Amino acid sequence: MSLTLRRRRVVIEVPRTWMGRFRARAMDTGRRLAPMADQAKTATAQRIEDARYWAAPRLEDAAHQVEQRLAPAVSSMLTQAAHKIDPTPPRARRWPMIMLLAGVAVGALGVVFYRRNAQQWTDHMKDSAADASQWLNDRAEKTSDVASSTANEATRKMS
């Protein structure tokens, strides 16, 4: 039995029209970019999951701080205001109302600060996700440029 190797001939079909060449390049580039797009999707999903793991305990700690520090202070101010509002002692009505309004104002400020901090955290997470997607887009464009330049060189060599 002879051990001869058969050479395979590769037949490359070159489109004759400009639109056909463009379509062939686009199909080739699409095939090359598909794995990178899958990797980008996986990386983005992982970063979002990491961000959620990072954020969950911090949000819970913030909620506990509001419960342990802000709520008792507001509660004690409201209790003092209630004692001052009590109709049995004949006292002036000005101070209880001021205390009640101060308690409401402190509670509103606490809610505002809590929401602002949550919004800042959300904006920060959006920025980091945008940075990751921008990096991935830049990588995809570089790869596309390399693929198109390689295709251009191949087309030039065939001509």
Side-chain angles (χ1 to χ4, degrees), residues 35-49 136:
M36 283 181 255
D38 290 340
Q39 287 176 344
K41 183 174 106 176
T42 304
T44 303
Q46 182 62 37
R47 289 197 73 182
I48 289 172
E49 187 175 343
L136 290 173

Side-chain angles (χ1 to χ4, degrees), residues 1-9:
M1 173 180 226
S2 71
L3 297 174
T4 59
L5 296 175
R6 293 185 184 190
R7 291 187 183 186
R8 292 184 185 176
R9 291 187 181 186

